[in-house]
């Protein structure tokens, strides 16, 4: 597709997406402030670095990172004063040349206390570490469970206690865990550093104990200060709980870098990588090619050409099942299989019109078979979502859309090669599931600021809910004129639109991050690199595809 600088539609699309990116960057700047500038100043006054400063000094200078769930807790817990980034900063990055995941409590947010979303975010970090055999570093500075919400973080399967269960599981699997106590480490949380392989503690600021001095006084009448009870000297010279004592944050981080430098080489899953190449076509043209209006068609292959190395894409079954595009490419040198929704209105192999963004029987069948082939060839899968759902109606039902849709979901669910999902536009209904939504264990799932995740679009949902509401009101004998119907529709759509926003999804960690489209290649490349640390332990079962 030739791009003309004067193309009005291209320019309008570009302006729209750049505004969304600018809005995202403004939101991120606010998130990066954590508990606010005053709390950061108090933190510094104690001789401590902030969570983000600690990570910045720990990772290798000039290397790429991926921040996970920066928008966790966005718009949540307002009655408790909010919880920016879920009170914890998590990044995938490189320390002493080794890719790892870093988890740092943000003590400027409620003293690093754990909200429900904090637990969910920590568990996601551990899940990534376990799925990819990735070393994990904990920078601990937390007051423990946020007591006013203890019932939502303490007792259930996916709550606080699961963290320690995962510590034990990772230890048994030989996944390196290093914990540095750089502030408070209280109650149940005290088990985390000790269940890690090696632990460090910072003198005068780091403390570990099951109960602080006030609780000890109340429980057994003993008077003791926190430093004597569980400070650095106590736990390195007396109890032997910690392995290394550091004079300050800087020395602690330097020691972690030294420990990471001594880890043996990771095994390889054998994913193929050649010399990375930039796309031949300008990546920035994605801004103008991706339509600002959700219903407008575009050619997904134009986007793919700006995401893959040398803009080279070898399409699989190009004339069949045209509303899903499948094919081979390389991203930053890594061999990948791409499965992407096609939003153009196209003709099927029978000459029938197929509407873009909808999965038809032939598209589902093609995708299922391509997934099987990629598994046989040990090629990671990349899903590019812009999907409205599966085709409905008598024609589709009679053609077996349920059977072919189930075949695609089965093939994707049982894939043993790693999966990566990018939600570019729509992610509606069962289309989210078939295209590897969060429920299907993608190693990473990210969205562009243009994404929407919901059972259906805001307009469709509002129409349906308005009809139900109007019918209910009429049953009660109420008069419902056009103005009243419009008021109902607008109110319902406004509420629904807020829930389908990518920020709503990101705040609840339904996606791992919202990214600038130009970061897509980096996320996929770093994702495959981390997945390459772990070989598949199961074989791919193709039985469901033989029906």
């Amino acid at each position: 597709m030739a791009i003309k600088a004067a193309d009005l539609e291209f320019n309008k699309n570009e302006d729209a997406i750049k505004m969304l990116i600018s809005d995202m960057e403004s939101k991120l700047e606010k998130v990066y402030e954590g508990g606010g500038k005053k709390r950061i100043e108090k933190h510094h006054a104690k001789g401590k670095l902030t969570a983000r400063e600690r990570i910045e000094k720990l990772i290798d200078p000039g290397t790429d990172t991926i921040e996970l769930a920066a928008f966790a807790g966005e718009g949540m817990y307002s009655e408790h004063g909010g919880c920016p980034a879920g009170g914890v900063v998590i990044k995938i990055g490189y320390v002493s040349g080794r890719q790892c995941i870093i988890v740092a409590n943000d003590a400027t947010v409620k003293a690093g206390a754990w909200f429900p979303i904090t637990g969910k975010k920590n568990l996601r970090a551990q899940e990534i570490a376990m799925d990819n055999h990735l070393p994990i570093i904990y920078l601990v500075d937390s007051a423990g469970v946020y007591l006013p919400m203890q019932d939502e973080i303490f007792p259930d399967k996916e709550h606080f206690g699961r963290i320690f269960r995962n510590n034990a599981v990772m230890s048994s699997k030989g996944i390196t865990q290093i914990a540095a106590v750089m502030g408070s480490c209280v109650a149940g949380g005290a088990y985390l550093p000790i269940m890690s392989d090696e632990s460090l503690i910072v003198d005068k600021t780091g403390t570990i104990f099951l109960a602080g001095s006030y609780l000890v006084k109340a429980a057994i009448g003993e008077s003791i200060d926190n430093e004597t009870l569980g400070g650095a000297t106590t736990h390195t010279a007396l109890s032997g709980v910690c392995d290394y004592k550091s004079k300050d944050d800087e020395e602690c981080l330097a020691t972690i870098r030294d420990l990471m430098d001594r880890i043996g080489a990771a095994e390889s899953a054998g994913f193929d990588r050649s010399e990375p190449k930039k796309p031949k076509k300008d990546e920035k043209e994605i801004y103008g090619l991706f339509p600002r209006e959700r219903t407008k068609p575009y050619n997904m292959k134009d986007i793919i050409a700006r995401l893959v190395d040398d803009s080279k894409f070898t399409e699989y079954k190009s004339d069949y099942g045209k509303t899903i595009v499948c094919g081979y490419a390389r991203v930053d040198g890594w061999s990948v299989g791409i499965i992407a929704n096609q939003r153009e209105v196209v003709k099927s192999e029978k000459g029938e019109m197929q509407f873009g963004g909808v999965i038809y029987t032939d598209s589902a069948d093609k995708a299922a078979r391509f997934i099987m082939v990629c598994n046989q060839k040990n090629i990671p899968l990349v899903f590019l979502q812009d999907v409205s759902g599966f085709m409905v109606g008598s024609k589709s039902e009679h053609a077996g859309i349920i059977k072919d849709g189930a075949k695609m979901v089965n093939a994707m669910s049982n894939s043993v090669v790693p999966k990566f999902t990018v939600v570019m536009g729509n992610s509606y209904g069962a289309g989210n599931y078939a295209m590897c939504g969060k429920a299907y264990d993608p190693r990473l799932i990210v969205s562009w600021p243009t994404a929407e995740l919901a059972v259906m679009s805001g307009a469709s949902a509002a129409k349906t809910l308005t009809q139900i509401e109007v019918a209910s009101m009429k049953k009660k004998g109420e008069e419902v004129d056009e103005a009243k119907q419009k008021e109902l529709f607008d109110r319902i759509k406004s509420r629904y639109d807020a829930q389908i926003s990518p920020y709503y999804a990101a705040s609840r960690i339904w996606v791992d991050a919202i990214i600038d489209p130009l970061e897509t290649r980096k996320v996929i490349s770093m994702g495959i690199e981390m997945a390459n640390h772990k070989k598949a332990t199961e074989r791919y079962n193709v039985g469901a595809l033989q029906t």
Side-chain angles (χ1 to χ4, degrees):
M1 177 179 177
I3 304 297
K4 298 177 182 177
D7 188 320
L8 183 61
E9 194 64 21
F10 182 94
N11 291 340
K12 284 183 176 179
N13 289 340
E14 185 177 43
D15 289 344
I17 200 166
K18 282 185 174 179
M19 284 182 67
L20 289 174
I21 291 166
S22 177
D23 182 53
M24 178 186 75
E25 289 172 346
S26 295
K27 289 177 184 290
L28 281 172
E29 282 180 17
K30 185 67 177 170
V31 167
Y32 295 159
E33 290 180 0
K37 291 179 180 177
K38 286 186 177 179
R39 287 182 182 169
I40 291 173
E41 287 169 6
K42 286 182 179 178
H43 203 69
H44 286 161
K46 296 175 184 176
K48 296 164 69 175
L49 300 171
T50 66
R52 292 184 181 280
E53 289 167 343
R54 287 167 177 165
I55 292 175
E56 190 64 29
K57 287 184 177 292
L58 182 61
I59 59 175
D60 297 344
T63 55
D64 285 333
T65 62
I66 300 171
E67 180 164 354
L68 301 177
F71 291 110
E74 176 87 0
M76 300 166 68
Y77 314 123
S78 55
E79 68 276 25
H80 298 278
C83 186
V88 62
V89 182
I90 298 175
K91 289 191 179 185
I92 299 169
Y94 302 87
V95 176
S96 297
R98 288 296 304 268
Q99 193 182 38
C100 60
I101 189 161
I102 305 162
V103 179
N105 300 114
D106 186 350
T108 70
V109 179
K110 292 287 192 296
W114 286 54
F115 282 68
I117 199 66
T118 317
K120 186 173 183 179
K121 187 169 173 178
N122 275 266
L123 288 171
R124 177 59 178 149
Q126 290 186 320
E127 179 184 33
I128 289 170
M130 287 188 284
D131 285 346
N132 301 286
H133 220 276
L134 203 61
I136 185 166
I137 298 169
Y138 307 98
L139 306 181
V140 185
D141 194 345
S142 172
V145 167
Y146 183 61
L147 290 177
M149 301 188 75
Q150 64 85 28
D151 61 321
E152 296 181 48
I153 183 61
F154 172 65
D156 209 347
K157 180 179 178 180
E158 298 297 328
H159 283 178
F160 191 70
R162 188 78 172 181
I163 300 288
F164 316 128
R165 175 264 184 195
N166 288 348
N167 288 142
V169 169
M170 282 190 278
S171 182
S172 72
K173 293 179 183 295
I175 300 169
T176 297
Q177 299 176 84
I178 297 173
V181 180
M182 308 180 83
S184 296
C185 188
V186 185
Y191 288 106
L192 184 146
I194 314 313
M195 294 189 74
S196 299
D197 301 308
E198 293 182 284
S199 61
L200 306 88
I201 187 167
V202 178
D203 196 23
K204 300 297 185 289
T205 56
T207 52
I208 310 174
F209 32 66
L210 294 180
S213 56
Y214 292 120
L215 186 53
V216 167
K217 176 68 173 175
I220 64 172
E222 181 183 2
S223 296
I224 190 170
D225 64 90
N226 283 339
E227 184 64 27
T228 307
L229 181 65
T233 300
T234 296
H235 284 310
T236 54
L238 186 61
S239 72
V241 162
C242 291
D243 305 307
Y244 307 93
K245 176 181 174 182
S246 304
K247 66 179 180 182
D248 55 24
D249 283 9
E250 301 263 5
E251 185 179 275
C252 182
L253 297 169
T255 305
I256 294 172
R257 289 183 56 80
D258 183 63
L259 296 174
M260 287 293 293
D261 191 43
R262 300 170 191 278
I263 297 175
E267 69 172 351
S268 170
F271 303 133
D272 185 64
R273 192 179 197 186
S274 61
E275 186 68 28
K277 295 180 181 177
K278 289 281 187 184
K280 270 187 180 176
K281 299 194 174 181
D282 188 355
E283 294 174 70
K284 291 181 181 177
E285 289 176 349
I286 290 172
Y287 293 159
L289 289 168
F290 194 81
R292 65 196 182 283
E293 294 177 33
R294 315 202 75 76
T295 54
K296 283 204 171 182
Y298 66 96
N299 191 343
M300 177 61 83
K301 286 179 252 188
D302 291 331
I303 304 293
I304 292 172
R306 288 156 179 84
L307 290 176
V308 303
D309 291 15
D310 210 28
S311 298
K312 185 179 178 183
F313 180 64
T314 304
E315 191 171 357
Y316 173 82
K317 290 184 181 286
S318 60
D319 296 324
Y320 178 71
K322 292 185 176 181
T323 63
I324 287 185
V325 174
C326 299
Y328 303 105
R330 289 187 183 274
V331 175
D332 199 33
W334 294 104
S335 174
V336 298
I338 293 175
I339 300 168
N341 303 111
Q342 177 62 286
R343 268 250 298 265
E344 276 196 325
V345 178
V346 296
K347 285 187 179 180
S348 72
E349 75 283 0
K350 297 176 183 177
E352 300 165 330
M353 297 305 292
Q354 294 188 334
F355 298 99
V358 180
I359 302 174
Y360 289 76
T361 54
D362 51 0
S363 305
D365 175 67
K366 176 172 81 172
R369 294 183 184 281
F370 183 67
I371 290 167
M372 176 184 71
V373 172
C374 285
N375 272 268
Q376 288 175 334
K377 293 181 177 180
N378 198 31
I379 299 174
L381 292 165
V382 175
F383 291 82
L384 303 179
Q385 282 196 14
D386 193 354
V387 58
S388 302
F390 284 87
M391 190 60 190
V392 296
S394 60
K395 196 169 185 179
S396 288
E397 298 293 356
H398 297 168
I401 186 66
I402 295 174
K403 179 189 71 174
D404 287 315
K407 190 186 294 184
M408 179 179 173
V409 171
N410 191 303
M412 182 270 301
S413 300
N414 285 297
S415 173
V416 296
V417 295
K419 307 182 291 267
F420 301 89
T421 303
V422 182
V423 186
M424 298 164 49
N426 301 331
S427 181
Y428 297 152
N432 168 281
Y433 298 164
M435 292 294 293
C436 196
K438 182 67 182 290
Y440 294 85
D441 297 325
R443 298 294 177 97
L444 290 174
I445 176 170
V446 298
S447 81
W448 291 0
T450 47
E452 285 188 359
L453 292 84
V455 172
M456 61 182 76
S457 71
S460 297
K463 278 181 189 175
T464 304
L465 293 169
T466 300
Q467 288 169 5
I468 293 169
E469 186 74 18
V470 167
S472 175
M473 291 168 75
K474 284 182 176 178
K475 261 187 185 179
K476 296 174 185 175
E478 297 179 35
E479 286 289 327
V480 187
D481 58 17
E482 282 189 20
K484 181 67 173 174
Q485 286 191 43
K486 186 178 183 307
E487 182 192 330
L488 274 171
F489 176 87
D490 290 344
R491 188 171 73 245
I492 292 169
K493 186 174 184 301
S494 175
R495 184 178 72 244
Y496 198 87
D497 282 346
Q499 294 178 356
I500 65 180
S501 154
Y503 294 100
Y504 193 90
S507 70
R508 288 152 180 80
I509 321 183
W510 300 344
V511 295
D512 292 315
I514 303 174
I515 64 167
D516 183 326
L518 299 186
E519 290 189 297
T520 305
R521 280 172 54 84
K522 178 189 82 172
V523 168
I524 293 169
S525 176
M526 288 183 67
I528 297 174
E529 182 184 351
M530 73 181 189
N532 200 38
H533 291 147
K534 183 184 178 185
K535 292 179 181 177
T537 55
E538 299 174 346
R539 291 192 64 192
Y540 185 67
N541 183 358
V542 299
L545 298 179
Q546 295 170 350
T547 56

